[in-house]
Each structure stands twice: as structure tokens, then as C-alpha cells.
Short mmCIF file of all heavy atoms in Angstrom, two decimals:
data_model
loop_
_atom_site.label_atom_id
_atom_site.label_comp_id
_atom_site.label_asym_id
_atom_site.label_seq_id
_atom_site.Cartn_x
_atom_site.Cartn_y
_atom_site.Cartn_z
N ALA A 1434 9.11 156.86 71.77
CA ALA A 1434 10.07 157.00 70.67
C ALA A 1434 11.16 158.01 71.04
O ALA A 1434 10.84 159.12 71.35
CB ALA A 1434 9.35 157.48 69.41
N GLY A 1435 12.42 157.52 71.02
CA GLY A 1435 13.53 158.37 71.39
C GLY A 1435 14.75 158.08 70.58
O GLY A 1435 14.69 157.26 69.66
N ILE A 1436 15.84 158.68 70.88
CA ILE A 1436 17.07 158.51 70.12
C ILE A 1436 18.06 157.60 70.89
O ILE A 1436 18.30 157.79 72.06
CB ILE A 1436 17.79 159.86 69.93
CG1 ILE A 1436 16.87 160.77 69.06
CG2 ILE A 1436 19.13 159.75 69.29
CD1 ILE A 1436 17.38 162.16 68.84
N ASP A 1437 18.48 156.54 70.18
CA ASP A 1437 19.45 155.64 70.73
C ASP A 1437 20.79 156.43 70.83
O ASP A 1437 21.42 156.78 69.84
CB ASP A 1437 19.60 154.41 69.82
CG ASP A 1437 20.54 153.33 70.43
OD1 ASP A 1437 21.35 153.68 71.32
OD2 ASP A 1437 20.47 152.20 70.02
N GLY A 1438 21.31 156.62 72.05
CA GLY A 1438 22.50 157.40 72.27
C GLY A 1438 23.76 156.77 71.79
O GLY A 1438 24.79 157.42 71.66
N GLU A 1439 23.69 155.45 71.43
CA GLU A 1439 24.84 154.78 70.89
C GLU A 1439 24.98 154.93 69.37
O GLU A 1439 26.04 155.17 68.81
CB GLU A 1439 24.76 153.26 71.22
CG GLU A 1439 24.76 152.95 72.70
CD GLU A 1439 26.11 153.00 73.40
OE1 GLU A 1439 27.10 153.18 72.58
OE2 GLU A 1439 26.17 153.01 74.59
N THR A 1440 23.82 154.84 68.69
CA THR A 1440 23.84 154.78 67.20
C THR A 1440 23.20 155.99 66.58
O THR A 1440 23.44 156.30 65.39
CB THR A 1440 23.11 153.55 66.66
OG1 THR A 1440 21.75 153.67 67.11
CG2 THR A 1440 23.73 152.26 67.25
N GLY A 1441 22.37 156.75 67.30
CA GLY A 1441 21.67 157.93 66.72
C GLY A 1441 20.42 157.53 66.02
O GLY A 1441 19.73 158.42 65.46
N GLU A 1442 19.98 156.25 66.11
CA GLU A 1442 18.75 155.86 65.42
C GLU A 1442 17.57 156.09 66.33
O GLU A 1442 17.68 156.15 67.58
CB GLU A 1442 18.82 154.41 65.03
CG GLU A 1442 19.94 154.05 64.12
CD GLU A 1442 20.08 152.55 63.90
OE1 GLU A 1442 19.34 151.80 64.56
OE2 GLU A 1442 20.90 152.18 63.08
N ILE A 1443 16.39 156.26 65.68
CA ILE A 1443 15.14 156.42 66.50
C ILE A 1443 14.60 155.06 66.79
O ILE A 1443 14.30 154.22 65.89
CB ILE A 1443 14.13 157.23 65.70
CG1 ILE A 1443 14.67 158.65 65.42
CG2 ILE A 1443 12.79 157.31 66.44
CD1 ILE A 1443 13.82 159.52 64.50
N VAL A 1444 14.47 154.75 68.10
CA VAL A 1444 13.98 153.40 68.51
C VAL A 1444 12.94 153.60 69.63
O VAL A 1444 12.77 154.69 70.18
CB VAL A 1444 15.13 152.61 69.09
CG1 VAL A 1444 16.22 152.27 68.03
CG2 VAL A 1444 15.82 153.29 70.31
N ASP A 1445 12.19 152.56 69.89
CA ASP A 1445 11.19 152.49 70.93
C ASP A 1445 11.92 152.29 72.28
O ASP A 1445 12.50 151.19 72.52
CB ASP A 1445 10.21 151.41 70.75
CG ASP A 1445 8.99 151.49 71.66
OD1 ASP A 1445 9.25 151.70 72.88
OD2 ASP A 1445 7.86 151.27 71.19
N MET A 1446 11.93 153.26 73.14
CA MET A 1446 12.68 153.18 74.37
C MET A 1446 12.15 152.14 75.34
O MET A 1446 12.90 151.53 76.13
CB MET A 1446 12.70 154.56 75.05
CG MET A 1446 13.53 155.61 74.35
SD MET A 1446 15.29 155.23 74.41
CE MET A 1446 15.79 155.71 72.77
N ALA A 1447 10.86 151.92 75.27
CA ALA A 1447 10.28 150.85 76.18
C ALA A 1447 10.72 149.52 75.73
O ALA A 1447 11.00 148.72 76.62
CB ALA A 1447 8.75 150.98 76.12
N VAL A 1448 10.89 149.25 74.47
CA VAL A 1448 11.34 148.00 74.02
C VAL A 1448 12.86 147.80 74.29
O VAL A 1448 13.30 146.76 74.71
CB VAL A 1448 11.11 147.81 72.46
CG1 VAL A 1448 11.72 146.56 71.92
CG2 VAL A 1448 9.61 147.84 72.16
N LYS A 1449 13.57 148.91 74.07
CA LYS A 1449 15.08 148.82 74.30
C LYS A 1449 15.40 148.87 75.78
O LYS A 1449 16.49 148.43 76.17
CB LYS A 1449 15.71 150.06 73.63
CG LYS A 1449 17.21 149.89 73.45
CD LYS A 1449 17.81 150.96 72.58
CE LYS A 1449 19.31 150.81 72.44
NZ LYS A 1449 19.71 149.55 71.84
N GLY A 1450 14.42 149.20 76.62
CA GLY A 1450 14.64 149.16 78.07
C GLY A 1450 15.47 150.31 78.64
O GLY A 1450 16.26 150.13 79.50
N ILE A 1451 15.26 151.50 78.07
CA ILE A 1451 15.97 152.72 78.58
C ILE A 1451 14.97 153.60 79.30
O ILE A 1451 14.09 154.18 78.69
CB ILE A 1451 16.65 153.48 77.42
CG1 ILE A 1451 17.69 152.58 76.74
CG2 ILE A 1451 17.33 154.76 77.96
CD1 ILE A 1451 18.34 153.19 75.52
N TRP A 1452 15.10 153.65 80.65
CA TRP A 1452 14.19 154.30 81.47
C TRP A 1452 14.89 155.33 82.40
O TRP A 1452 16.07 155.17 82.64
CB TRP A 1452 13.38 153.34 82.36
CG TRP A 1452 12.60 152.32 81.59
CD1 TRP A 1452 13.01 151.07 81.23
CD2 TRP A 1452 11.28 152.45 81.07
NE1 TRP A 1452 12.03 150.42 80.48
CE2 TRP A 1452 10.96 151.31 80.44
CE3 TRP A 1452 10.31 153.48 81.10
CZ2 TRP A 1452 9.72 151.04 79.78
CZ3 TRP A 1452 9.09 153.26 80.49
CH2 TRP A 1452 8.80 152.08 79.82
N GLU A 1453 14.13 156.29 82.87
CA GLU A 1453 14.63 157.20 83.89
C GLU A 1453 13.64 157.39 84.97
O GLU A 1453 12.38 157.31 84.72
CB GLU A 1453 14.95 158.58 83.25
CG GLU A 1453 16.05 158.58 82.27
CD GLU A 1453 16.36 160.04 81.75
OE1 GLU A 1453 16.65 160.84 82.58
OE2 GLU A 1453 16.19 160.27 80.56
N PRO A 1454 14.04 157.61 86.19
CA PRO A 1454 13.10 157.86 87.30
C PRO A 1454 12.33 159.17 87.08
O PRO A 1454 13.01 160.17 86.64
CB PRO A 1454 13.93 157.92 88.56
CG PRO A 1454 15.27 157.33 88.17
CD PRO A 1454 15.41 157.56 86.75
N LEU A 1455 11.05 159.19 87.38
CA LEU A 1455 10.26 160.43 87.27
C LEU A 1455 10.76 161.50 88.19
O LEU A 1455 10.81 162.66 87.78
CB LEU A 1455 8.80 160.11 87.62
CG LEU A 1455 7.85 161.30 87.67
CD1 LEU A 1455 7.74 161.96 86.29
CD2 LEU A 1455 6.48 160.93 88.20
N ALA A 1456 11.27 161.07 89.38
CA ALA A 1456 11.76 162.13 90.29
C ALA A 1456 12.93 162.96 89.69
O ALA A 1456 13.03 164.13 89.90
CB ALA A 1456 12.27 161.44 91.59
N VAL A 1457 13.83 162.28 88.96
CA VAL A 1457 14.97 163.02 88.34
C VAL A 1457 14.45 163.97 87.29
O VAL A 1457 14.86 165.15 87.22
CB VAL A 1457 15.96 162.01 87.77
CG1 VAL A 1457 17.05 162.70 86.96
CG2 VAL A 1457 16.56 161.15 88.86
N LYS A 1458 13.57 163.50 86.41
CA LYS A 1458 13.04 164.33 85.34
C LYS A 1458 12.28 165.55 85.89
O LYS A 1458 12.40 166.66 85.41
CB LYS A 1458 12.18 163.45 84.44
CG LYS A 1458 11.93 164.04 83.06
CD LYS A 1458 13.22 164.25 82.31
CE LYS A 1458 13.88 162.98 81.82
NZ LYS A 1458 15.11 163.28 81.06
N LEU A 1459 11.47 165.35 86.91
CA LEU A 1459 10.73 166.51 87.48
C LEU A 1459 11.69 167.49 88.03
O LEU A 1459 11.48 168.72 87.89
CB LEU A 1459 9.79 166.00 88.58
CG LEU A 1459 8.54 165.19 88.16
CD1 LEU A 1459 7.80 164.70 89.37
CD2 LEU A 1459 7.67 166.14 87.38
N GLN A 1460 12.71 167.05 88.72
CA GLN A 1460 13.69 167.97 89.33
C GLN A 1460 14.43 168.73 88.24
O GLN A 1460 14.75 169.92 88.43
CB GLN A 1460 14.71 167.16 90.23
CG GLN A 1460 15.59 168.07 91.01
CD GLN A 1460 14.93 168.86 92.10
OE1 GLN A 1460 13.95 168.36 92.68
NE2 GLN A 1460 15.34 170.06 92.41
N VAL A 1461 14.80 168.08 87.14
CA VAL A 1461 15.49 168.75 86.02
C VAL A 1461 14.62 169.89 85.47
O VAL A 1461 15.10 170.98 85.32
CB VAL A 1461 15.84 167.71 84.90
CG1 VAL A 1461 16.22 168.45 83.64
CG2 VAL A 1461 16.95 166.78 85.36
N TYR A 1462 13.33 169.59 85.20
CA TYR A 1462 12.42 170.60 84.63
C TYR A 1462 12.26 171.74 85.58
O TYR A 1462 12.38 172.97 85.17
CB TYR A 1462 11.10 169.99 84.28
CG TYR A 1462 11.14 169.11 83.02
CD1 TYR A 1462 12.33 168.68 82.44
CD2 TYR A 1462 9.94 168.57 82.54
CE1 TYR A 1462 12.30 167.84 81.38
CE2 TYR A 1462 9.94 167.76 81.46
CZ TYR A 1462 11.12 167.38 80.87
OH TYR A 1462 11.13 166.52 79.76
N LYS A 1463 11.99 171.45 86.84
CA LYS A 1463 11.69 172.48 87.79
C LYS A 1463 12.94 173.40 88.02
O LYS A 1463 12.86 174.60 87.99
CB LYS A 1463 11.29 171.91 89.15
CG LYS A 1463 9.96 171.21 89.14
CD LYS A 1463 9.61 170.58 90.42
CE LYS A 1463 8.25 169.92 90.45
NZ LYS A 1463 7.96 169.16 91.70
N THR A 1464 14.10 172.79 88.13
CA THR A 1464 15.33 173.50 88.41
C THR A 1464 15.72 174.38 87.22
O THR A 1464 16.09 175.52 87.36
CB THR A 1464 16.52 172.56 88.77
OG1 THR A 1464 16.11 171.71 89.86
CG2 THR A 1464 17.72 173.34 89.20
#
């Protein structure tokens, strides 16, 4: 469950198809 960046509504990101690589997210948190 996340926020649709276009409308601001709460939607299921897996259904909407909005994904990010794990490598990017890990680097963001660590840095």
C-alpha cells in the first residue's frame, strides 16, 4: 500500500505496477 504520485490516492503498488530495485533502496537508506 502506497501513495499514487499522480493523484495522491492510496493504492496497491503491486497491482498498479510501481516497483523499485532493492539495490537503489538499500543504497538510499545506508547513505
Side-chain angles (χ1 to χ4, degrees):
I1436 295 174
D1437 186 340
E1439 299 281 351
T1440 62
E1442 298 174 356
I1443 297 174
V1444 295
D1445 190 317
M1446 292 290 142
V1448 174
K1449 195 167 178 64
I1451 299 177
W1452 301 92
E1453 292 184 61
L1455 174 63
V1457 173
K1458 199 58 72 176
L1459 287 175
Q1460 188 68 33
V1461 167
Y1462 287 8
K1463 290 175 182 176
T1464 306

